[in-house]
Amino acid sequence: EFFGCAPAAGVFMFAMGVGMVYTRHDSPKEFAMRGIKLMLIGYVLNFFRETLLILIGRVFSIENSYEDKSLFSTLMTVDILQFAGMAFLITALLKKLNAKPWQILVVATFLHAIGNLCVGIFDNTPETVQYPLGVLLFTNKETAFPAFQWYIYPAIGICFGKLLMHITDKDRFYCRMAAISAATLFCVTVGCIRADVNITNMFMTEDYYSQSLLTTLWCMSIVCLCIPIYYDVSKLIKGRVITSVKYISKNVNTIYILQWLVITYTIGIMELLQIGVFHVILGIPISIAIMVVCIAISICWHKVKQKKANR
């Protein structure tokens, strides 16, 4: 649960911000188009990973543990693709206004504050209000990454990317970054323990998704500690491993979508066959197996596309 938190989503969002600085397709229009595309892909994925399965279950009267969910809620769930789309749209607007990196960070901080002030306001509103607003604000537990609370991560990534362009001694820079991040993480963690704040609430719970100021500070210190670690690891990666890492990075959206489909349709088959849940100890081996299968499917998919394009 911890590694699915800041070291995963937080690092991805931070890296997305860095990528926004280094990309050659950096016009406001290109950012806006990419944002719209990501949001549409997110909702199409929602349909195929959950809505369609529940529809099939209802048509054929198949009992399942998800039958009480409304079709609207399954289709409109807010996940990381919707957030990525909103992040590109917000950045496109700020780029259109010629905002500097520090101004983007100020806007992100302001949005974060508004988002936190609005937590709980929409608890008793209809689903038709909660889910559309969920791309911006934390309206219920199915709005995993509302843009107002989470845009701070790519915003800091943008500032980091701009700074990194002017760094000549990267080893020294990342060493200092690791030291500062570790010190921050230590101080925040000790402070939480002394104040009797439950650290586990800061990952994989509603508190994590709603991102209070304290949660953001704790998660961001982990993100900024991971980046130097990844930098050091990257220096050890050579040969074919580099090619593999680049392939996964380039096709991360495809692999992410495939993972969801493999997981949910496997669960659907297990429901049909009335197979119980796997033992927790099998979690990591199954995760690795799913990753390998999805990368293999992705490679085959792109080969087929390439053959069609060459005809």
Side-chain angles (χ1 to χ4, degrees), residues 7-298:
V11 169
F12 168 77
M13 293 172 184
F14 180 93
M16 182 171 63
V18 178
M20 288 176 174
V21 174
Y22 281 88
T23 182
R24 289 171 291 180
H25 307 285
D26 62 348
S27 70
K29 181 180 178 181
E30 287 173 310
F31 269 48
M33 291 303 296
R34 187 169 183 181
I36 293 169
K37 182 180 177 181
L38 283 166
M39 290 197 70
L40 288 174
I41 291 172
Y43 288 116
V44 171
L45 174 60
N46 283 351
F47 175 79
F48 283 102
R49 74 176 176 180
E50 194 167 16
T51 310
L52 179 60
L53 288 170
I54 292 177
L55 274 171
I56 292 171
R58 291 180 181 180
V59 169
F60 293 98
S61 301
I62 302 170
E63 292 186 8
N64 61 83
S65 54
Y66 305 96
E67 57 190 354
D68 292 334
K69 295 187 72 173
S70 70
L71 294 178
F72 182 79
S73 68
T74 62
L75 184 63
M76 298 300 290
T77 297
V78 179
D79 212 331
I80 203 159
L81 285 176
Q82 283 85 352
F83 166 76
M86 285 303 305
F88 272 97
L89 289 172
I90 294 170
T91 309
L93 175 61
L94 294 172
K95 287 176 74 68
K96 187 70 174 178
L97 297 173
N98 295 316
K100 295 179 173 60
W102 69 268
Q103 292 171 322
I104 292 175
L105 183 56
V106 169
V107 170
T109 304
F110 180 68
L111 293 177
H112 189 277
I114 293 175
N116 275 286
L117 288 173
C118 292
V119 172
I121 290 179
F122 301 96
D123 287 352
N124 297 317
T125 56
E127 285 186 346
T128 51
V129 174
Q130 288 183 347
Y131 284 94
L133 278 178
V135 295
L136 299 175
L137 302 164
F138 183 80
T139 55
N140 62 42
K141 63 182 180 180
E142 300 297 330
T143 54
F145 300 107
F148 276 29
Q149 277 103 317
W150 285 87
Y151 185 67
I152 191 78
Y153 289 87
I156 292 177
I158 290 170
C159 294
F160 177 84
K162 283 289 185 181
L163 176 63
L164 195 61
M165 285 181 164
H166 302 285
I167 300 298
T168 53
D169 189 347
K170 287 187 170 58
D171 287 344
R172 186 180 181 186
F173 170 74
Y174 280 114
C175 185
R176 288 184 174 182
M177 182 181 179
I180 294 170
S181 302
T184 304
L185 177 60
F186 177 79
C187 291
V188 175
T189 303
V190 170
C192 287
I193 293 171
R194 294 295 297 272
D196 201 26
V197 174
N198 189 352
I199 293 291
T200 60
N201 286 340
M202 295 185 185
F203 54 90
M204 297 310 291
T205 67
E206 290 183 31
D207 290 342
Y208 166 66
Y209 292 121
S210 60
Q211 283 288 299
S212 69
L213 178 62
L214 185 61
T215 301
T216 300
L217 183 60
W218 188 76
C219 289
M220 186 57 73
S221 63
I222 294 171
V223 170
C224 292
L225 182 60
C226 287
I227 299 300
I229 294 172
Y230 294 159
Y231 171 73
D232 288 333
V233 171
S234 71
K235 292 190 293 185
L236 303 175
I237 298 175
K238 298 177 182 179
R240 291 184 178 180
V241 180
I242 292 178
T243 305
S244 300
V245 171
K246 285 182 178 179
Y247 176 84
I248 294 170
S249 177
K250 184 179 179 181
N251 298 285
V252 65
N253 286 344
T254 302
I255 295 169
Y256 171 80
I257 291 167
L258 286 169
Q259 285 178 328
W260 264 117
L261 296 178
V262 168
I263 290 168
T264 51
Y265 281 83
T266 300
I267 291 172
I269 293 169
M270 289 173 64
E271 289 272 350
L272 281 175
L273 300 177
Q274 296 183 338
I275 299 173
V277 296
F278 294 114
H279 193 279
V280 67
I281 201 169
L282 296 175
I284 291 176
I286 290 173
S287 299
I288 293 171
I290 289 171
M291 182 179 68
V292 171
V293 168
C294 292
I295 292 173
I297 295 173
S298 174

